Amino acid sequence: EYYRYIVYVSPTQFDTTITAYLTDGSTTVSVSDYSVYAYCTAAMTSDESDELYAVKDLCEAVLNYGYYVEKWLDGSSSIDILDIDLTWTDPVKYGTWDVDLSTYSSTANGIEGKTLALDGEGIFIRLYVSDSSTYTVSSKDIISGSDSSGSYIEFKVPAKEMSSIFSIYRDGVFYTSYSIYSYIKNTVDDENENLSNVCKAIYYYGQASAAYQGWR
């Protein structure tokens, strides 16, 4: 029998080795080391006859996403795609940003503190709130928390729903709406170049995921 286990890896962990231990009671039967970087390297260096070649474009977008997130958070990155594929051209650095996101307007309705959070398990939409109302989003688990900016609620958005506009309800009544692309639309021209580049990289990652999976 085969079992599949999913491990969520944050963009800052793409080149971190994940060690999986298969145990039989208290005895370790086998140990396997892997990483997102190792998988993407295999795909990006395979040829067209290799099954892995089909995910080459997606892997390039994934590693570039990790690269710019690390640059934004730490000022540098341990990932360099050119070490793997010298023919690749970075769309963030060398591309022309002419993406039309006009349908993703960010309204002033309800919550002003709308942002993204790049937590350990992926991309979250985070909304800062100042009351104790119950906030819900259809089919989403809401996480509550607080930081130096105040109290917030957030929910995870997988790549498949990157372009979705989510309706947020307060005590069962529609309150506001938001999406990953709404944030990108309003932030991509930010004077902080690293933050602007993260937005572009997230967008290209979402587009590559959608193209590979046939979500559009």
Side-chain angles (χ1 to χ4, degrees), residues 6-114:
I6 296 174
V7 178
Y8 291 104
V9 182
S10 75
T12 60
Q13 298 173 318
F14 285 169
D15 59 346
T16 299
T17 298
I18 297 170
T19 303
Y21 298 90
L22 178 64
T23 65
D24 180 8
S26 59
T27 304
T28 298
V29 178
S30 65
V31 179
S32 177
D33 291 332
Y34 212 43
S35 70
V36 173
Y37 186 86
Y39 177 86
C40 289
T41 298
M44 292 164 64
T45 55
S46 63
D47 58 43
E48 293 187 27
S49 63
D50 194 318
E51 183 180 350
L52 272 177
Y53 187 81
V55 298
K56 180 177 184 292
D57 291 344
L58 176 57
C59 282
E60 288 175 342
V62 165
L63 292 187
N64 205 39
Y65 161 46
Y67 169 82
Y68 279 107
V69 168
E70 285 194 339
K71 287 271 289 184
W72 175 48
L73 294 175
D74 302 323
S76 63
S77 175
S78 55
I79 297 174
D80 187 351
I81 301 180
L82 291 179
D83 288 342
I84 308 170
D85 185 358
L86 291 173
T87 67
W88 177 78
T89 300
D90 183 352
V92 173
K93 186 175 182 179
Y94 297 106
T96 301
W97 181 258
D98 56 357
V99 177
D100 182 10
L101 296 177
S102 57
T103 58
Y104 295 92
S105 61
S106 177
T107 68
N109 177 31
I111 309 167
E112 293 183 1
K114 304 173 185 176

Side-chain angles (χ1 to χ4, degrees), residues 73-195:
L73 294 175
D74 302 323
S76 63
S77 175
S78 55
I79 297 174
D80 187 351
I81 301 180
L82 291 179
D83 288 342
I84 308 170
D85 185 358
L86 291 173
T87 67
W88 177 78
T89 300
D90 183 352
V92 173
K93 186 175 182 179
Y94 297 106
T96 301
W97 181 258
D98 56 357
V99 177
D100 182 10
L101 296 177
S102 57
T103 58
Y104 295 92
S105 61
S106 177
T107 68
N109 177 31
I111 309 167
E112 293 183 1
K114 304 173 185 176
T115 187
L116 301 187
L118 298 173
D119 290 356
E121 294 187 357
I123 304 175
F124 289 71
I125 287 180
R126 177 176 293 181
L127 305 103
Y128 286 91
V129 297
S130 57
D131 58 26
S132 57
S133 299
T134 299
Y135 293 90
T136 56
V137 179
S138 298
S139 71
K140 292 294 178 187
D141 293 328
I142 300 296
I143 301 170
S144 300
S146 62
D147 58 19
S148 59
S149 297
S151 299
Y152 63 79
I153 57 138
E154 64 181 18
F155 55 92
K156 185 180 179 181
V157 182
K160 186 175 184 178
E161 299 176 328
M162 194 82 72
S163 61
S164 300
I165 299 175
F166 298 95
S167 295
I168 296 98
Y169 296 85
R170 182 178 67 178
D171 293 334
V173 179
F174 175 78
Y175 192 48
T176 190
S177 61
Y178 207 54
S179 73
I180 299 292
Y181 285 176
S182 295
Y183 178 84
I184 292 174
K185 173 181 179 291
N186 294 305
T187 312
V188 74
D189 294 323
D190 193 280
E191 61 183 18
N192 183 327
E193 182 182 7
N194 284 335
L195 179 56

